[in-house]
Amino acid sequence: MEYIQPYLDFFTQNPGWAIAIVFLIAFGEALLIIGLFVPSTAVLVGAGMLVGTGHLEFWPVFAATAIGAILGDQLSYWAGRLFGERLKTLWPLNRYPVLVARGEDFVRKHGGKSIAIGRFVPGVKAVVPGIVGMFGMGQVYFAVINVSSGLFWALAHVAPGMLFGQVLAMAGELSERLLIVLLVLLVLLAVAGWLIRLFIGGLGPIIERGQDRFAAWAERQPGRFWPRIGAVISPAHPGSLSIILFAALAVTALIAFLHIMSSVFGQSALINTDLSIHNMMQSLRNAPADEIMTMVTMLGDGAVMGTVGIAIVLWLVWRREWRIAGAAFVTILAARLFVPLMKLWLQRPRPVELTGLPEIFSFPSGHTTFATVTLGVFAVLVTHGLRSWGKAVVFAAVGIVVIAIAYSRIYLGAHWMSDVLGGFLFGAAMIAAFGIAIEAVPSRRLQPIGLSIAVLLAFLAAGTIHINRDYTANAEMYSPREAIVLYDQEQWETGAWAGLSRRRIDLAGRNEEKFAAQWAGDLSPLSEALAKDGWTEQGKWSWTLGLAYLDPNRSLADLAPRPALHRGRAAEFTWTKPVAGDANQRLVLRAWKTDVMIGKGDKTYPIYVASLMRERLRHDLNLYAVPSAVVPQPAELESFASLLRSIPGVRIVAVRGLEAKDGLTLVDAMQ
């Protein structure tokens, strides 16, 4: 968080710079052709996130976004009115004749609505305002639609960012390292989305212009060979652009995969990069993110991806698309056979030893490969016959899922970064080959909506069942590996207790909260004593309980205690007790299991550290309610110490007056 905070502080102290950046991005996104290359969505949603986290005000950001978008479209409209048809011969429109022609068709089809609709359609939105001006649309009519759609477009970008910002603010309130993990994932997704948009919207027209030139050249050549090649490459062929892009992707991905494989096999500098990224990710490990990433990685398990692959093939068989069904089956099966064979050949060990996985070797990542190939086959089939912007939307959605699964593998320590890159590149090459085979045939009706519904239902059903049934085993398998320290009872009582943390260490490294006790043995006697004293057991915190934090009208009694972590671990148990006379405050007792065990006779017992804190209800911007920690009163600490002394069958170990000095009580409950 210390790397991000200076930027947040800068924008908080200098909001004018942030507003200026937002205005320029929105303005540039609306300019003719230039808007193809402006990462507007990522920047504007990011500005909305700063609004949600309280670092920027809503109205200035919203106004800058709307005004920039409206003025950019207005300037493009004036260019069309001023130059008329001559606009198409001027730079930069003369470099994109295919895109201009597509924009003209779009305007003729939708009329005045094209201004509003076009704002949300990749590619054509960069030319629509100029084209409607070129066609002679009246200024007043354009201004009405431009202003109204500009306001809606601005809200559509800022509002989701505000929601993400609120989620990140809550994540930061609960765990700063969780916030960093989520921010890294969001940045990866935003960059991937912008690159896909740039590739489809920016490079697509350039490739189409090259197709025109090549087709014209080939048509003038003698014989039949070059004219036939030109006919396939020509933009008139419905699948020509897709074939070219898939071919380029296949060659590039295959070369990159071979390079990574040789780097891994040859022990190049890539190994050091892998180790650095692995260490960085392991330093960010924390309980909430572990839970999220475990569920994400389980969505890439063979049980889920296999179900999705079967659903795709069965759908094609049901539609009597025998050849396509066979191609899909062979592509998915080839990936599943290739990965274990490659792992057996290279025999690269995983970053950490994970018991329970069917494969002990790591290169390439099976989860990344299977997710890329299976979901890529689905994307190719669904987008068969769609225009470029439709393909971009589908592939971006699939890319988000694949990137999230790949990211989870690195975070959980199951794979090195190069394992994930290798799996993604090999999968991309397989998908490109499959895409060439599909696009080479005439476009046919595969009922993309029906296929999408079938695949989505299979994915959700398999994922839900798999997570509900096997989450506990997977959480244990992917849990951080830490060494266990074993002491005997005498060692612990005479000084080993001091080796344990005497304060709770949160994920930011702060240690402001003191522990009230060290407990050796089973916690059942403590639970029984707390229940008799009016305390209520809360159980372990989960994200479903955290959803209640989004309701600012909730009372403290309706909210689960905040998930305070110690060294990245969640509390083993949590108990609460209302504070007399104040409904907005309560006492919270938590206990964390340490990595220390005590041997007594032929048995071993765990050591727990317990803290006693107050919580009060906190409202921020009246948008959510989160319990906030408060230091307890001395009388409350003494009352807890008295409760410990009253528990039958346990022994209070007084060490060098420590109990009176720091309020720390050593409890021997080893039976």
Side-chain angles (χ1 to χ4, degrees):
M1 189 65 183
E2 61 270 17
Y3 304 108
I4 302 172
Q5 194 62 46
Y7 298 99
L8 299 180
D9 294 339
F10 175 80
F11 285 125
T12 302
Q13 298 167 7
N14 304 276
W17 282 103
I19 301 304
I21 293 173
V22 168
F23 171 81
L24 292 174
I25 290 294
F27 179 75
E29 196 271 348
L31 294 178
L32 286 171
I33 301 301
I34 296 175
L36 290 171
F37 306 97
V38 177
S40 58
T41 301
V43 174
L44 298 178
V45 172
M49 290 169 56
L50 293 180
V51 174
T53 56
H55 292 87
L56 292 176
E57 296 293 330
F58 168 75
W59 287 113
V61 171
F62 175 75
T65 303
I67 293 173
I70 293 169
L71 290 181
D73 273 9
Q74 182 64 64
L75 185 61
S76 299
Y77 166 82
W78 281 337
R81 288 297 299 267
L82 177 63
F83 295 104
E85 288 289 333
R86 195 157 58 92
L87 181 67
K88 294 188 290 186
T89 66
L90 301 177
W91 184 90
L93 265 70
N94 61 352
R95 311 297 295 176
Y96 296 86
V98 176
L99 180 59
V100 173
R102 186 181 301 164
E104 290 179 322
D105 293 339
F106 187 82
V107 172
R108 292 189 185 99
K109 179 179 180 180
H110 297 286
K113 295 183 295 183
S114 62
I115 303 169
I117 300 174
R119 288 188 183 275
F120 300 92
V121 180
V124 297
K125 68 179 179 179
V127 297
V128 164
I131 290 175
V132 298
M134 186 177 63
F135 283 1
M137 177 180 289
Q139 171 63 72
V140 175
Y141 183 71
F142 174 81
V144 171
I145 301 180
N146 183 31
V147 172
S148 58
S149 62
L151 294 173
F152 181 77
W153 181 86
L155 184 63
H157 282 73
V158 176
M162 290 179 61
L163 178 60
F164 285 139
Q166 288 295 311
V167 173
L168 292 177
M170 291 179 58
E173 180 73 18
L174 305 175
S175 162
E176 291 190 355
R177 290 191 182 180
L178 172 60
L179 174 61
I180 295 175
V181 171
L182 295 179
L183 281 175
V184 171
L185 180 57
L186 287 174
V187 169
L188 289 175
L189 296 179
V191 171
W194 177 66
L195 290 176
I196 292 173
R197 171 190 162 186
L198 177 63
F199 189 78
I200 297 296
L203 297 183
I206 296 177
I207 296 174
E208 289 181 352
R209 187 171 66 252
Q211 289 177 260
D212 272 329
R213 293 179 178 178
F214 179 82
W217 173 85
E219 188 177 357
R220 296 192 299 267
Q221 304 307 308
R224 295 183 178 181
F225 177 76
W226 286 111
R228 287 181 177 178
I229 296 296
V232 174
I233 299 300
S234 171
H237 188 284
S240 60
L241 178 59
S242 296
I243 291 174
I244 293 173
L245 294 178
F246 278 134
L249 175 62
V251 173
T252 303
L254 186 58
I255 293 174
F257 171 77
L258 293 175
H259 175 70
I260 288 180
M261 185 180 69
S262 63
S263 298
V264 171
F265 192 75
Q267 298 292 309
S268 70
L270 182 62
I271 303 299
N272 294 331
T273 303
D274 282 340
L275 183 60
S276 297
I277 292 178
H278 170 73
N279 290 336
M280 180 188 71
M281 283 296 171
Q282 295 311 295
S283 69
L284 296 176
R285 290 290 297 264
N286 60 87
D290 286 354
E291 182 177 345
I292 295 173
M293 291 301 164
T294 299
M295 289 188 287
V296 169
T297 210
M298 290 179 70
L299 294 177
D301 283 352
V304 178
M305 287 296 116
T307 302
V308 172
I310 292 173
I312 294 172
V313 174
L314 290 180
W315 172 268
L316 294 171
V317 170
W318 181 65
R319 295 290 302 166
R320 298 183 182 277
E321 298 287 353
W322 310 110
R323 188 181 64 83
I324 298 179
F329 177 77
V330 169
T331 302
I332 295 173
L333 181 63
R336 290 191 169 273
L337 293 176
F338 173 82
V339 169
L341 291 176
M342 180 62 67
K343 288 183 175 181
L344 286 175
W345 179 38
L346 290 179
Q347 296 190 5
R348 187 188 195 189
R350 295 183 183 273
V352 296
E353 184 178 348
L354 300 175
T355 57
L357 287 179
E359 298 165 334
I360 62 175
F361 303 120
S362 67
F363 185 89
S365 166
H367 280 66
T368 306
T369 306
F370 300 153
T372 302
V373 171
T374 305
L375 298 180
V377 166
F378 162 73
V380 169
L381 293 174
V382 169
T383 59
H384 186 49
L386 294 183
R387 290 184 177 271
S388 296
W389 70 268
K391 294 179 184 291
V393 171
V394 174
F395 276 100
V398 167
I400 288 174
V401 178
V402 173
I403 290 172
I405 292 173
Y407 181 73
S408 71
R409 304 303 290 169
I410 300 175
Y411 172 86
L412 294 172
H415 284 288
W416 305 102
M417 181 195 67
S418 57
D419 299 338
V420 167
L421 289 177
F424 176 77
L425 290 170
F426 176 78
M430 293 288 293
I431 290 305
F434 177 76
I436 293 173
I438 297 302
E439 294 293 341
V441 301
S443 178
R444 63 185 68 193
R445 188 69 174 171
L446 290 175
Q447 292 191 347
I449 296 179
L451 176 59
S452 300
I453 293 175
V455 169
L456 182 61
L457 290 177
F459 180 68
L460 293 178
T464 302
I465 294 173
H466 183 46
I467 290 174
N468 287 336
R469 185 184 62 185
D470 301 324
Y471 173 78
T472 302
N474 278 266
E476 175 63 25
M477 179 172 61
Y478 293 119
S479 61
R481 298 312 194 249
E482 296 185 12
I484 298 297
V485 180
L486 180 64
Y487 295 117
D488 60 33
Q489 183 178 5
E490 182 180 358
Q491 288 175 317
W492 173 60
E493 293 182 1
T494 57
W497 59 267
L500 279 73
S501 298
R502 292 163 62 180
R503 295 171 180 260
R504 183 176 71 87
I505 301 176
D506 66 13
L507 292 175
R510 295 185 296 259
N511 60 349
E512 300 171 357
E513 180 179 332
K514 295 180 179 180
F515 286 130
Q518 286 186 18
W519 182 283
D522 185 70
L523 290 171
S524 298
L526 177 58
S527 298
E528 295 174 2
L530 292 171
K532 293 178 181 179
D533 195 46
W535 292 73
T536 302
E537 186 175 11
Q538 298 294 327
K540 287 191 175 182
W541 194 89
S542 69
W543 286 101
T544 55
L545 296 175
L547 293 176
Y549 295 166
L550 299 175
D551 184 358
N553 298 317
R554 294 273 188 155
S555 65
L556 184 62
D558 296 330
L559 301 175
R562 54 184 292 148
L565 307 177
H566 174 51
R567 296 186 181 275
R569 292 176 174 174
E572 288 292 319
F573 84 165
T574 304
W575 290 71
T576 61
K577 183 178 182 180
V579 173
D582 191 345
N584 287 324
Q585 294 200 56
R586 66 187 173 195
L587 294 176
V588 181
L589 177 68
R590 299 181 180 89
W592 292 267
K593 191 175 183 180
T594 70
D595 56 0
V596 174
M597 302 285 287
I598 295 181
K600 184 178 181 180
D602 58 351
K603 295 182 180 180
T604 57
Y605 299 88
I607 291 286
Y608 297 88
V609 286
S611 77
L612 179 69
M613 294 292 290
R614 274 198 184 207
E615 281 189 344
R616 67 163 178 256
L617 191 59
R618 172 180 171 183
H619 296 276
D620 283 340
L621 303 176
N622 200 32
L623 293 174
Y624 58 86
V626 176
S628 181
V630 182
V631 176
Q633 300 295 323
E636 293 166 342
L637 290 170
E638 179 57 34
S639 176
F640 174 64
S642 299
L643 183 144
L644 293 176
R645 297 187 192 98
S646 67
I647 299 176
V650 303
R651 183 169 63 91
I652 305 300
V653 181
V655 181
R656 301 173 188 167
L658 183 69
E659 182 179 346
K661 179 181 178 182
D662 289 339
L664 180 66
T665 304
L666 304 186
V667 181
D668 177 5
M670 297 178 286
Q671 302 297 324

